């Protein structure tokens, strides 16, 4: 143990004495570890942004969409479909489900009444599609008991209203045979820059106040079920609805969210790891070159140590451990630099998408960076250590 501890102390002293050389040689490793950690963090952010975008457009994993129509192309009565859908949801105790139907409503703006795309949904729809209003809120259970319908609009709709403060409970008239005044409770971000005004209403409010659009579609049913049960549940729902609605109807049940997301996510992780390995490899090459040059200048020093009794193993271990100690310190500094970059740079803007559930700093990447830097130090130290051991004592002293 005395010899082992002495070798460690000796290696650390060499790093301390030659700190300028060490700092110069390890800049590449420091930058490589920082890049590796930042790249991993960027990968986590990109995967999260991709997942959230998919959930907003197609629903969370796994979202099933159910539709039914007759073979002659006519739609069954909305009440019949709604009752059958409700029975299926209750029978299987689905926690998150929502009816969905679309239409065009005439909305009374200041300039006059205009058609606006509208979606009738149930309250869980917001959770299923990760709808997070930029202002105000999504529908709550209390909204279902309101004495006037509540609506959630997009930013384009809000701008047409003059961008009123939602705390003042702004209202808008939904025109039609029976005009209804609705209260705006939330504003969602536009999906794209030139999006037209749109609005969400609760199915219960549409039925309670008899709100009629110009092109009402038949209601669909969306179910959020465990991904591992999605395929089995698809067949069960199809069979249940066939029994409830009759065999004359065409029942379609399919998964709405992308099923290959895990594959794409896995491929993205491999790409991130590959770039990280390349960055660290470049730093290791620079370290190896400088270490080989340094050993050539320390030939006389090594010969003197060997003449005073230092064994080949002792020389080999001490030279290699210099690289290990140095790269470990460089790795730690690289992780600190990566933390500062990730915490202070708006990464979500750099990747071109907003991230609601921002991933925590990738501790795994920091640990991997430290371990990789240490391994790189050991590998980069083997070659110069081998060169140092092979130096003959007499030739080294004469050097």
């Amino acid at each position: 143990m005395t010899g082992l501890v002495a070798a460690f102390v000796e290696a650390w002293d060499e790093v301390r004495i030659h700190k300028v050389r060490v700092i110069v040689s390890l800049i590449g490793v420091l930058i490589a570890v920082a890049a590796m950690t930042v790249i991993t963090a960027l990968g986590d952010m990109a995967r999260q942004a991709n997942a959230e975008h998919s959930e907003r457009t197609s629903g969370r994993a796994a979202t099933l969409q159910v539709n039914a129509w007759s073979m002659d192309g006519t739609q069954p009565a909305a009440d019949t479909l709604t009752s059958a859908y409700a029975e299926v949801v209750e029978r299987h105790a689905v926690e998150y489900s929502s009816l969905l139907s679309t239409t065009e409503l005439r909305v009374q703006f200041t300039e006059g009444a205009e058609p606006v795309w509208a979606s009738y949904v149930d309250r869980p729809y917001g959770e299923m599609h990760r709808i997070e209003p930029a202002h105000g809120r999504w529908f709550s259970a209390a909204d279902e008991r309101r004495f006037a319908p509540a609506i959630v609009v997009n930013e384009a709709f809000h701008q047409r209203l003059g961008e009123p403060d939602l705390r003042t409970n702004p209202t808008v008239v939904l025109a039609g045979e029976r005009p209804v005044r609705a209260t705006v409770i939330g504003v969602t971000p536009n999906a794209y820059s030139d999006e037209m005004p749109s609005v969400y209403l609760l199915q219960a409010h549409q039925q309670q106040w008899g709100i009629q659009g110009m092109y009402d579609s038949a209601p669909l049913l969306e179910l959020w079920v465990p991904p591992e049960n999605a395929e089995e549940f698809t067949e069960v729902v199809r069979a249940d609805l066939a029994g409830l609605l009759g065999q004359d109807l065409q029942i379609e049940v399919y998964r709405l969210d992308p099923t290959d997301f895990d594959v794409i996510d896995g491929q993205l992780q491999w790409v991130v790891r590959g770039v990280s390995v390349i960055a660290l490899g470049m730093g290791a090459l620079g370290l190896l070159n400088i270490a080989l040059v340094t050993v050539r200048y320390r030939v006389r020093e090594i010969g003197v140590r060997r003449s005073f009794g230092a064994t080949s193993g002792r020389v080999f271990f001490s030279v290699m451990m210099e690289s290990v100690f140095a790269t470990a310190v460089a790795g730690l500094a690289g992780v600190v630099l990566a933390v500062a970059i990730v915490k202070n740079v708006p990464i979500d803007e750099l990747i071109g998408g907003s991230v609601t559930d921002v991933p925590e700093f990738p501790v795994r990447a920091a640990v991997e960076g430290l371990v990789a830097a240490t391994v790189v130090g050991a590998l980069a130290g083997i070659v110069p250590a081998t060169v140092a051991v092979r130096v003959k004592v007499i030739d080294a002293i004469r050097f």
Side-chain angles (χ1 to χ4, degrees), residues 27 31 116 131 194 203 230 237 284 310 313 317 372 374 395 397:
I27 290 177
I31 295 175
V116 170
I131 297 178
D194 56 347
Q203 286 275 356
V237 171
F317 188 77
T374 304
D395 294 338
I397 296 175

Side-chain angles (χ1 to χ4, degrees), residues 62 64 225-238 253 255 259:
L64 304 181
V225 300
E228 61 273 12
N229 299 334
E231 186 173 349
E232 177 184 358
F233 205 79
T234 297
E235 299 302 324
V236 171
V237 171
R238 184 180 290 113
V253 183
R255 185 165 175 176
T259 57

Side-chain angles (χ1 to χ4, degrees), residues 118-345:
S119 300
Y120 302 135
V121 297
D122 291 324
R123 186 163 45 88
Y125 186 86
E127 183 69 20
M128 295 167 62
H129 287 266
R130 194 184 279 271
I131 297 178
E132 296 162 345
H135 308 287
R137 59 180 176 81
W138 182 252
F139 300 110
S140 66
D143 290 322
E144 298 176 352
R145 301 186 297 272
R146 296 174 67 101
F147 293 105
I151 58 175
V152 176
V153 303
N154 66 348
E155 289 178 335
F157 192 111
H158 190 226
Q159 291 170 0
R160 293 297 306 274
L161 291 179
E163 301 187 24
D165 189 344
L166 299 189
R167 291 175 296 183
T168 62
N169 297 318
T171 60
V172 63
V173 175
L174 306 180
E177 295 182 4
R178 298 175 55 189
V180 177
R181 184 174 294 275
T183 303
V184 179
I185 64 171
V187 179
T188 62
N190 288 340
Y192 43 90
S193 58
D194 56 347
E195 184 179 10
M196 299 300 291
S198 62
V199 59
Y200 287 104
L201 296 91
L202 288 175
Q203 286 275 356
H205 289 175
Q206 185 267 334
Q207 296 170 4
Q208 180 178 355
W209 279 280
I211 301 173
Q212 295 294 326
M214 291 182 285
Y215 309 104
D216 290 350
S217 65
L220 306 174
L221 174 65
E222 290 192 2
L223 306 168
W224 180 13
V225 300
E228 61 273 12
N229 299 334
E231 186 173 349
E232 177 184 358
F233 205 79
T234 297
E235 299 302 324
V236 171
V237 171
R238 184 180 290 113
D240 287 351
L241 286 176
L244 292 170
L245 297 173
Q247 299 294 332
D248 294 336
L249 292 182
Q250 183 72 24
I251 310 297
E252 184 178 27
V253 183
Y254 61 94
R255 185 165 175 176
L256 195 61
D257 62 294
T259 57
D260 58 349
F261 181 79
D262 291 339
V263 176
I264 297 175
D265 182 66
Q267 293 174 347
L268 180 59
Q269 290 192 42
W270 278 110
V271 171
V272 170
R273 287 183 177 274
V275 174
S276 301
V277 169
I278 292 174
L280 193 58
M282 296 299 292
L285 288 177
L287 174 63
L288 178 59
N289 290 331
I290 295 178
L292 286 173
V293 173
T294 302
V295 167
R296 290 183 60 85
Y297 282 99
R298 295 177 59 192
V299 169
R300 183 178 179 84
E301 171 196 336
I302 294 171
V304 171
R305 290 171 59 188
R306 292 287 302 276
S307 66
F308 276 90
T311 63
S312 299
R314 177 70 173 270
V315 172
F316 180 91
F317 188 77
S318 62
V319 173
M320 187 185 70
M321 287 306 298
E322 291 178 27
S323 296
V324 173
F325 276 127
T327 51
V329 173
L332 181 60
V335 169
V336 173
L337 177 61
V339 172
I341 293 174
V342 171
K343 295 296 184 181
N344 294 282
V345 175

Side-chain angles (χ1 to χ4, degrees), residues 51-128:
E52 291 186 7
H53 176 73
S54 175
E55 290 171 356
R56 292 188 182 100
T57 56
S58 304
R60 299 181 187 255
T63 299
L64 304 181
Q65 191 170 87
V66 185
N67 191 14
W69 68 91
S70 61
M71 300 301 294
D72 59 4
T74 60
Q75 292 288 351
D79 293 342
T80 303
L81 287 177
T82 301
S83 300
Y85 291 157
E87 185 170 342
V88 169
V89 171
E90 183 179 0
R91 179 181 301 176
H92 297 285
V94 180
E95 183 177 0
Y96 289 95
S97 66
S98 174
L99 293 175
L100 170 64
S101 55
T102 57
T103 187
E104 276 193 353
L105 293 176
R106 294 191 62 82
V107 178
Q108 187 68 44
F109 294 110
T110 304
E111 301 85 355
E114 296 182 13
V116 170
W117 188 256
S119 300
Y120 302 135
V121 297
D122 291 324
R123 186 163 45 88
Y125 186 86
E127 183 69 20
M128 295 167 62

Side-chain angles (χ1 to χ4, degrees), residues 1-13 305 314 317-318:
M1 287 298 295
T2 301
L4 182 63
V5 173
F8 278 107
V9 173
E10 182 180 355
W12 175 250
D13 286 339
R305 290 171 59 188
R314 177 70 173 270
F317 188 77
S318 62

